[in-house]
């Protein structure tokens, strides 16, 4: 049982927890014991989170139900209790997932640049790792101070993002040439402040980038842990050195932390600061989150949702539609919106409010209103712009005054304006986004006092993989899916349904050429409105349905030719009929029979790269076959996966004893080629499944190599043996 918070404390139900580099080092056992003892978080994982206050002490200043962001020890949990000093009310418009990644990075950036370095207007700063969480926060803080921003990032895509965020020039952090480039960009003077996260020689070169009286702010942990030596000669130029560790700051200087925290929240409330992009992982994907951070392949912050405590009793069944209350359908006079209203009436709904900008059904749908009335439902068409706050407030007031409880809200409004991305103007983007996003956000706020049982947003399957010419439409639907998820995180009803193309209602029912094109593209996989609405009923009645549900009869194999994204690890769980239990193993001996060694190795590297991409859940293009496997994020468990996948799917026998830290796929291809040229014989003596399990448990421990993982290794070994 959780203890009751003291007068100055709050208890928070955690919605998401931010993952920090300290957590990664702790998990890898790279932090020395004294670091674990002295830090704010202690020997625990997690130091920042966002969630809902469930219980509050009398002197805490918070009420139950308040959305908050907080520094909290052991934050990888469903609930945390902490001193209210380290929590702050979350400004409206910032989601809980985005908020979970805010505290540490913005506290670190503000403390380092403002409190320590005293960065002022007109000065210059070099921000290393600028596409990471702290880097993106630091860019905003520096620009607020009126400073010139120079930056480094490791990949071209990250450097483009940093440029868009406002950096004057962005250099490659993986090349030591950045030091000369910074001096050239500043006319030989150097920068006034360096915010450093690089290690070793790159750190020492960063000191050389400083102008006289410059300030060096060290954020990295690696040089501290390894006790790297730094020569003092550069500091003769009146340089200053500061070391920053945010978790120690929280523990040792709570008053300063609270002041900075309050200033930052004012910045988010005013819109001067914005959250960084976040990548959200579910509890079961925590290992993937740590591996992503280990490879430094993420942009912004990584956050992890907590596991939900087990329910003692199954949730009671509920009806999809009740006839006791009223339903509001925004966009309810369009084709699919009106079809939804008719379906609700058939399910027993007796009061329907239907809105559109014109207030009349679309051509061809005029008879639907009469059908709804014939079913005994009272229906009221209304001309209301869903983005007009005053008009919507008037409508909600009418619904409230009528006295009938608001049973449900459905947002079905949409506007299309398809065009190539290069031809989109801000006005065209806004034309598509406003009816979706602004209307959904307005509905979310206005109907809360009426507490509807259902809050449904109509999205599109295109969010999963994009759609040519519909960048704004896809973005709008992604945004309303986030609104549904945010409501659910707050304990409110919220459901976004990403419909596939609907053939007989709405836009496609009128656009024959477009419908025919999509039918050809998807091999006939279009939804009928009745089938879709049957799915709506099932989802409304299902208390276990997630906040976002994809509902579409897709032909993935047909899509794969037009959308290369379908063939990436993001869609690895989708059956594209490319591979499966019945797929024959490749015969590489036959494939390389007529090839020289260079071409044969290239063919093997290509196949191994595809397997690595699947294991790492990364696009194949991001896998460098010349990098050591360890630097790609491989551990011994993943090496076993690679070995077994290669044997099971490709018919290639890999020597697992050679899958060491420094082995690359290019190196491995040479070993494989030798074996294939020799007829496939294997000199690998470590092929026994039990021996493999024993070795892995010796390396990682029984808890990391679970019984389930061991059984999977044994089962795959049996399949491989049976195929030989």
């Amino acid at each position: 049982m959780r203890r009751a918070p003291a007068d100055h404390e709050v208890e928070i139900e955690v919605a998401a927890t931010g993952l920090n580099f300290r957590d990664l080092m702790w998990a890898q056992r790279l932090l020395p014991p004294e670091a674990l003892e002295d830090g704010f978080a202690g020997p625990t994982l997690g130091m920042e989170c966002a969630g809902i206050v469930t219980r509050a002490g009398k002197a805490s200043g918070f009420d139950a139900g308040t959305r908050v962001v907080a520094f909290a020890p052991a934050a990888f949990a469903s609930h945390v209790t902490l001193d209210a000093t380290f929590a702050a009310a979350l400004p409206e418009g910032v989601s809980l997932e985005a908020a979970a990644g805010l505290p540490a990075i913005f506290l670190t950036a503000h403390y380092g640049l403002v409190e320590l370095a005293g960065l002022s207007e007109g000065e210059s700063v070099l921000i290393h790792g600028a596409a990471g969480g702290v880097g993106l926060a630091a860019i905003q803080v520096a620009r607020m101070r009126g400073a010139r921003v120079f930056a480094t990032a490791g990949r071209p895509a990250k450097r483009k993002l940093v440029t868009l965020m406002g950096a004057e020039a962005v250099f490659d952090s993986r090349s030591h040439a950045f030091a000369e480039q910074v001096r050239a960009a500043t006319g030989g003077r150097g920068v006034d402040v360096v915010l450093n996260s690089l290690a070793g020689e790159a750190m020492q070169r960063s000191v050389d980038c400083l102008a006289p009286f410059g300030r060096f702010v060290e954020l990295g942990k690696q040089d501290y842990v390894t006790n790297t030596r730094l020569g003092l000669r550069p500091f003769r130029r009146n340089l200053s050195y500061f070391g920053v560790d945010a978790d120690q700051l929280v523990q040792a200087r709570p008053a300063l932390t609270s002041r900075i925290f309050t200033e930052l929240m004012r910045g988010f409330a005013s819109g001067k600061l914005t959250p960084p992009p976040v990548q959200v992982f579910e509890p079961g994907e925590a290992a993937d989150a740590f591996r992503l951070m280990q490879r430094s392949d993420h942009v912004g912050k990584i956050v992890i949702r907590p596991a939900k405590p087990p329910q003692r009793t199954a949730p009671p069944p509920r009806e999809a539609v009740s006839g006791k209350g009223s339903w509001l359908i925004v966009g309810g006079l369009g084709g699919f919106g009106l079809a939804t209203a008719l379906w609700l009436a058939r399910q027993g709904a007796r009061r329907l409010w239907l809105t559109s900008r014109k207030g009349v059904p679309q051509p061809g749908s005029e008879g639907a209103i009469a059908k709804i009335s014939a079913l005994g439902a009272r229906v009221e068409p209304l001309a209301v712009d869903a983005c007009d706050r005053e008009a919507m407030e008037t409508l909600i007031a009418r619904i409230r005054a009528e006295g009938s409880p608001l049973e449900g809200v459905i947002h079905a409004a949409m506007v299309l304006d398809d065009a190539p991305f290069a031809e989109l103007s801000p006005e065209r983007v806004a034309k598509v986004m406003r009816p979706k996003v602004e209307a959904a956000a307005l509905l979310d706020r206005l109907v809360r006092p009426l507490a509807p049982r259902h809050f449904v947003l109509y999205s599109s399957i295109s969010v999963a993989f994009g759609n040519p010419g519909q960048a704004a439409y896809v973005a709008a639907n992604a945004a309303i899916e986030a609104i549904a998820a945010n409501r659910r995180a707050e304990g409110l009803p919220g459901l976004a349904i990403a419909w596939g193309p609907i053939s007989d209602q709405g836009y496609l029912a009128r656009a024959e050429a477009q419908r025919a094109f999509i039918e050809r593209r998807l091999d006939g996989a279009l939804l009928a409105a009745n089938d879709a609405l049957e799915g709506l009923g099932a989802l409304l009645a299902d208390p276990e349905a997630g906040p976002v549900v994809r509902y579409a009869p897709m032909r993935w194999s047909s899509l794969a030719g037009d959308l290369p994204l379908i063939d990436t690890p993001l869609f690895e769980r989708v059956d594209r009929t490319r591979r499966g239990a019945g797929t024959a193993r490749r015969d590489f001996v036959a494939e390389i029979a007529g090839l020289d060694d260079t071409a044969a190795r290239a063919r093997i590297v290509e196949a191994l790269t595809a397997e690595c991409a699947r294991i790492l859940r990364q696009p194949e293009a991001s896998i460098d076959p010349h990098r050591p496997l360890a630097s790609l994020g491989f551990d011994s468990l993943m090496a076993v996966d690679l070995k077994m996948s290669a044997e099971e799917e490709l018919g290639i026998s890999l020597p697992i004893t050679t899958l060491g830290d420094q082995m690359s796929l290019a190196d491995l291809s040479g070993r494989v080629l030798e074996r294939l040229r020799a007829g496939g014989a294997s000199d690998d003596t470590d092929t026994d499944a039990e021996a493999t399990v024993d070795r892995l448990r010796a390396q990682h421990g029984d808890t990391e190599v679970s019984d389930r993982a061991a059984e999977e290794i044994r089962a795959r070994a049996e399949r491989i043996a049976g195929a030989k």
Side-chain angles (χ1 to χ4, degrees):
M1 180 177 293
R2 302 190 302 271
R3 68 174 179 85
D7 284 351
H8 62 285
E9 292 181 326
V10 291
E11 179 189 74
I12 300 172
E13 181 178 3
V14 177
T17 302
L19 181 60
N20 291 285
F21 187 66
R22 175 195 172 87
D23 299 321
L24 176 64
M25 297 184 73
W26 187 95
Q28 294 177 315
R29 296 172 175 81
L30 295 178
L31 287 179
E34 59 269 20
L36 295 176
E37 293 169 2
D38 296 341
F40 164 69
T44 63
L45 285 170
M47 63 171 289
E48 58 181 343
C49 66
I52 309 295
V53 173
T54 50
R55 293 185 291 179
K58 296 179 181 178
S60 68
F62 289 95
D63 296 320
T66 304
R67 300 166 67 245
V68 295
V69 57
F71 289 101
F76 283 101
S78 64
H79 294 76
V80 293
T81 300
L82 63 146
D83 191 310
T85 302
F86 301 120
L90 190 60
E92 187 177 350
V94 179
S95 72
L96 291 170
E97 286 82 3
L102 296 180
I105 62 173
F106 275 92
L107 178 70
T108 299
H110 189 283
Y111 179 65
L113 292 179
V114 179
E115 300 292 330
L116 296 181
L119 183 65
S120 60
E121 186 174 359
E123 289 193 311
S124 57
V125 58
L126 171 62
I127 300 172
H128 283 307
V134 175
L136 293 174
I139 292 173
Q140 295 189 55
V141 172
R143 285 172 58 83
M144 282 184 63
R145 303 288 291 183
R148 298 174 64 193
V149 177
F150 300 94
T152 68
R155 293 186 176 180
K158 291 184 177 183
R159 293 195 286 274
K160 288 181 181 178
L161 170 65
V162 173
T163 301
L164 291 173
M165 291 294 293
E168 186 173 322
V170 187
F171 313 109
D172 186 353
S173 61
R174 298 179 180 179
S175 168
H176 293 164
F178 72 80
E180 291 76 15
Q181 292 167 337
V182 167
R183 284 193 290 271
T186 57
R189 177 179 179 274
V191 293
D192 298 292
V193 178
V194 170
L195 193 67
N196 183 62
S197 56
L198 303 183
E201 184 181 349
M203 180 267 289
Q204 296 172 0
R205 286 179 178 258
S206 298
V207 174
D208 296 336
C209 293
L210 284 170
F213 295 90
R215 289 86 76 194
F216 188 88
V217 182
E218 178 61 73
L219 306 181
K221 300 285 195 300
Q222 184 173 332
D223 284 317
Y224 292 149
V225 172
T226 58
N227 197 25
T228 300
R229 306 299 185 199
L230 179 62
L232 291 177
R233 179 172 296 176
F235 290 85
R236 73 189 186 280
R237 295 181 288 118
N238 289 284
L239 306 185
S240 302
Y241 181 98
F242 301 98
V244 175
D245 192 349
D247 47 354
Q248 293 186 42
L249 174 66
V250 173
Q251 181 190 43
R253 304 193 62 184
L256 175 60
T257 300
S258 180
R259 175 174 65 78
I260 295 175
F261 208 12
T262 301
E263 290 179 17
L264 291 172
M265 288 304 109
R266 282 201 293 264
F268 286 106
S270 67
K272 293 180 179 179
L273 296 176
T274 58
V278 295
Q279 291 176 260
V280 183
F281 287 78
E282 298 300 329
E285 300 173 322
D288 296 330
F290 275 88
R291 285 171 181 146
L292 182 64
M293 174 167 278
Q294 184 183 39
R295 298 192 304 273
S296 296
D297 277 347
H298 62 293
V299 171
K301 282 285 289 190
I302 298 171
V303 302
I304 303 176
R305 292 192 178 102
K308 296 296 183 183
Q311 300 292 324
R312 294 186 178 181
T313 58
R318 65 183 184 187
E319 293 180 291
V321 178
S322 168
K324 298 179 181 178
S326 60
W327 284 78
L328 168 61
I329 306 180
V330 173
L333 294 169
F336 191 44
L338 199 50
T340 302
L342 181 57
W343 177 83
L344 284 170
R346 286 171 175 159
Q347 306 308 307
R350 289 295 169 261
R351 185 68 173 104
L352 296 167
W353 304 79
L354 311 181
T355 76
S356 71
R357 283 178 296 175
K358 295 181 179 179
V360 295
Q362 288 182 347
S365 302
E366 297 85 350
I369 298 292
K371 292 179 181 178
I372 294 172
S373 300
L375 290 169
R378 182 183 168 199
V379 58
E380 188 158 355
L382 296 163
V384 178
D385 184 344
C387 299
D388 186 330
R389 184 183 187 95
E390 184 176 349
M392 288 299 296
E393 286 177 341
T394 301
L395 172 59
I396 298 301
R398 283 191 60 191
I399 295 173
R400 183 199 292 268
E402 190 175 84
S404 175
L406 186 58
E407 175 74 8
V409 175
I410 296 178
H411 177 30
M414 60 169 278
V415 169
L416 291 177
D417 186 11
D418 296 355
F421 188 82
E423 296 179 12
L424 289 177
S425 64
E427 293 76 19
R428 294 185 72 174
V429 172
K431 176 184 176 182
V432 175
M433 298 275 297
R434 289 186 70 246
K436 280 277 186 183
V437 184
E438 285 192 30
L442 188 57
L443 271 174
D444 174 30
R445 292 193 295 270
L446 294 182
V447 303
R448 289 188 180 215
L450 279 64
R453 283 205 312 137
H454 302 289
F455 187 92
V456 183
L457 305 171
Y458 282 1
S459 179
S460 167
I461 189 66
S462 61
V463 174
F465 44 75
N467 202 27
Q470 291 192 329
Y473 182 67
V474 171
N477 283 299
I480 67 171
E481 289 182 4
I483 291 173
N486 186 58
R487 282 181 59 90
R488 190 71 69 87
E490 295 182 43
L492 299 171
L495 172 64
I497 307 176
W499 298 113
I502 296 173
S503 61
D504 56 346
Q505 293 290 345
Y507 171 73
L508 290 183
R510 303 187 303 272
E512 294 183 5
Q514 184 71 6
R515 183 177 69 251
F517 170 76
I518 293 176
E519 284 180 335
R520 290 193 302 272
R521 188 180 180 199
L522 297 183
D523 194 20
L526 273 67
L527 272 172
N530 287 339
D531 293 336
L533 293 169
E534 284 183 15
L536 172 63
L539 291 171
L540 292 179
D542 182 5
E544 299 298 324
V548 179
V549 176
R550 313 280 182 218
Y551 201 96
M554 305 305 295
R555 299 286 191 271
W556 297 105
S557 57
S558 300
L559 272 177
D562 294 329
L563 294 171
L565 181 68
I566 300 297
D567 210 28
T568 68
L570 179 64
F571 288 83
E572 68 172 346
R573 297 181 183 178
V574 172
D575 181 7
R576 288 157 283 167
T577 66
R578 287 185 60 229
R579 50 186 286 186
T583 303
R585 297 195 304 169
R586 293 172 64 174
D587 185 353
F588 262 87
V589 174
E591 285 192 33
I592 66 173
L595 302 177
D596 60 28
D597 285 356
T598 300
R601 288 184 61 171
R603 183 74 61 86
I604 295 167
V605 166
E606 179 184 357
L608 293 176
T609 299
E611 289 302 315
C612 284
R614 178 190 61 79
I615 293 168
L616 294 170
R617 296 192 183 185
Q618 293 292 313
E620 290 182 30
S622 71
I623 306 296
D624 184 348
H626 299 285
R627 286 178 60 185
L629 290 174
S631 71
L632 294 175
F634 261 74
D635 56 24
S636 54
L637 280 166
M638 299 167 82
V640 170
D641 192 354
L642 176 60
K643 171 184 170 58
M644 291 190 147
S645 295
E647 294 189 4
E648 193 173 7
E649 304 289 343
L650 307 175
I652 297 175
S653 177
L654 296 185
I656 193 170
T657 52
T658 67
L659 292 178
D661 288 349
Q662 298 308 310
M663 176 66 70
S664 70
L665 296 181
D667 297 332
L668 191 58
S669 68
R671 306 284 183 92
V672 172
L673 180 60
E674 290 176 6
R675 292 187 173 194
L676 292 176
R677 295 292 198 208
S682 172
D683 58 7
D684 186 3
T685 59
D686 190 12
T687 57
D688 181 74
E690 292 300 332
T692 300
V693 171
D694 290 343
R695 186 183 66 255
L696 289 173
R697 282 182 165 165
Q699 291 174 334
H700 297 277
D702 291 344
T703 56
E704 299 238 2
V705 185
S706 64
D707 291 340
R708 181 178 178 182
E711 284 302 317
E712 172 65 15
I713 291 172
R714 296 185 186 103
R716 294 178 73 177
E718 290 177 3
R719 291 198 299 269
I720 293 167
K724 290 181 178 178

